[in-house]
Each structure stands twice: as C-alpha cells, then as structure tokens.
Amino acid sequence: MTDPAAHPWLLAIRPRTLSAAVAPVLVGSAIAARAGGFRAGPAAAALSGALLLQIAANLANDVDDFERGADTAARRGPIRVTQSGLLPARQVRTAQWLAFALAALVGLYLIATAGWPVAVLGAAAVAAAWAYTGGPWPLGYHGLGEVCVFLFFGVAAVVGTTYVQTAALDPLALLAALPVGALITAILVVNNTRDADTDRAAGKRTLAVRLGTAAGRVAYALLLGFAYLVPLLLWTRGWTSPWVLLPLATLPLAGRRVADMGRAADGPAFNALLAATAQLQLGFAVLFAAGLLR
C-alpha cells in the first residue's frame, strides 16, 4: 500500500468525493442539450467551477474540523492531513483560498456569458462552501449541513449548469436536480453517521448527533428511495420519455447500499460505504443524463 504521507495533497482534496461535483454538471448539461442549448464552453466552465468549489470545501473542512476539535486521533474516517500533521494548517488554509479564488475566476467567465444571475448564484455557492465548516456560525456544526449540500451542491449546481448554457430557468432542471441532490446528501449522511461520536464530543451538532445514528440510517434509505422515485414521476407525468428510467438499472446496487448502511458499525465499513455511495451517485447521474437526452 502506498504511504499516505507520499501524497498528502491528494488526501487533502479527497478525490473520491469529486464525483459529487461532476454529477450535477452532467445532468444540468443534459437538460440544456434537451432544450437545444448545450454550449461546450459554459459546460466546461461549470464543471471546473464545481470541482474547484468541492476541493475548496474539502480543504476548508480539513483544517476547520481540526481547529474546532472535531478531528482527533479517535475519528473513524480516512486520514485528515491537518489533524495527522501531514500538512500544516497554514498551507491547507492557503490552498483553500486559492481554490476559492480560481472558482471565482471561472465565475467571471460565466457571468460574462450568462449575466448577473450567475453572480448571485456563484456568490451564494462560494458562501455556502465556506460557511459549511467555516465562519462564526458554521452550518455543518448546527445541523444544517445536509440542507446546505442538497440545495447548493445538488439543486443549485444542476439548475445553474443549465442556466449558464441556455440563459433560461428550465422547470425540468429543477425537477431533475432533486435526485442528484438527494444522492449527494446521502454521501454526507454516511459521513456524519460514522463520525457521530467524535462530533458529539466536539460539540458538532450534525443531524446524526441531534437525532441519533438510527435516524441517520433511516435518512439514508429515504434519500435513496426518493432519488429513484423522481425518474418515475418524470415519466408517468409525461415530461420525459421512458428512457429517463435508465437509472433504475442501478436500483439493485442501491438496495445493497441501504443494507450496508444498516449494518455498518466501524470505520472501514462506513468508509467503504462512503466510496460506494459516491460511485452509485455518479452511475445514477450518467444514466439519468443519458435518459434525459432521449
């Protein structure tokens, strides 16, 4: 096995979580293409901006959780570079702001392309990514992490990707964003259920801490179930063709993930489930985007 210290920056950006940034752009671009408005430049910029915001949020989370005492040697998750001493907090913080700055530069291009609404959405997305674990009242520490992720890394990311290509608010984009947001939120639910004990000790009041880990397991199942209901709704209401049901091919995998969540009891089990949920989310998004194009 490769020594983690040999690639601390790779650990810091958390590559396995980056699919959460890719999935909304795939679905949003499919909606734009369906409307005849796909534009490669804005689509690529939306993907770059989403990835940079995800990386910035990951870096901020690494150093913020360490400084607030949520990341200790007792945590059950993967190695965190600040807590483990692989990278000094100052360097991680600098990289965080660099990622935010690069995302803002991408945003300037998108504003020039699609107008002032993108500035408002982009500013809100940056603020949400920073305020998740940073600032005087971090959202993740007050039980609002799931809401933040659903709204900004799910719904806003899909709708925004469509808008920067079509310069129009498409109702279908909003509906298609719902399963994307639900599956991204499910990833966070796994993370917070795993970390409930150490988060409680540090005063980090996530939903898993407030409601209990049993509620976290139920929430995971409900989020996955909701995600698979949306394509059925889109088809039965006549808003799309039956091809939108393509994501249902991954339903057996979703069932296994729910079973895994029900019996996960230690760090390795939760960590494996975290990666598997991210893979499920990306697979769902690829099939969903393909179905929306037909």
Side-chain angles (χ1 to χ4, degrees):
M1 182 178 294
T2 305
D3 180 4
H7 48 88
W9 285 111
L10 196 60
L11 287 173
I13 66 173
R14 309 178 197 176
R16 289 184 176 182
T17 69
L18 298 186
S19 64
V22 175
V25 178
L26 287 177
V27 174
S29 295
I31 298 292
R34 180 186 177 91
F38 175 77
R39 298 172 64 193
L47 177 60
S48 299
L51 287 169
L52 285 166
L53 283 178
Q54 182 69 54
I55 290 170
N58 288 345
L59 293 169
N61 176 256
D62 195 299
V63 68
D64 287 336
D65 275 356
F66 169 69
E67 291 180 346
R68 295 179 186 275
D71 279 354
T72 67
R75 74 183 304 274
R76 300 195 290 180
I79 293 173
R80 292 291 177 254
V81 295
T82 311
Q83 181 275 322
S84 63
L86 291 176
L87 290 171
R90 178 179 53 80
Q91 287 187 14
V92 179
R93 184 72 76 191
T94 299
Q96 165 206 317
W97 292 119
L98 176 61
F100 275 130
L102 291 173
L105 287 176
V106 172
L108 291 177
Y109 163 75
L110 291 174
I111 293 168
T113 300
W116 67 265
V118 179
V120 176
L121 181 62
V126 169
W130 170 68
Y132 177 67
T133 54
W137 204 80
L139 299 173
Y141 281 71
H142 293 85
L144 294 175
E146 286 81 0
V147 174
C148 175
V149 166
F150 180 85
L151 290 178
F152 288 98
F153 289 87
V155 175
V158 174
V159 174
T161 296
T162 302
Y163 185 85
V164 298
Q165 296 176 63
T166 65
L169 292 174
D170 191 325
L172 184 58
L174 179 59
L175 293 171
L178 298 179
V180 177
L183 291 173
I184 291 172
T185 306
I187 297 172
L188 180 60
V189 169
V190 176
N191 181 87
N192 288 348
T193 303
R194 179 198 65 201
D195 293 344
D197 290 341
T198 51
D199 284 346
R200 184 180 297 107
K204 187 176 182 180
R205 305 287 292 170
T206 64
L207 287 182
V209 171
R210 290 175 180 270
L211 303 179
T213 55
R217 298 177 199 274
V218 171
Y220 180 85
L222 291 175
L223 286 165
L224 264 60
F226 174 73
Y228 284 89
L229 283 176
V230 173
L232 284 169
L233 172 66
L234 295 177
W235 173 55
T236 56
R237 297 295 294 179
W239 294 325
T240 63
S241 76
W243 286 100
V244 79
L245 301 179
L246 277 175
L248 270 64
T250 63
L251 192 54
L253 292 176
R256 291 177 201 165
R257 300 295 81 83
V258 171
D260 291 341
M261 182 64 164
R263 58 175 170 256
D266 56 21
F270 277 113
N271 296 338
L273 177 59
L274 197 69
T277 305
Q279 292 167 3
L280 174 68
Q281 175 239 9
L282 183 59
F284 182 104
V286 168
L287 293 174
F288 194 36
L292 288 166
L293 288 171
R294 301 299 296 266

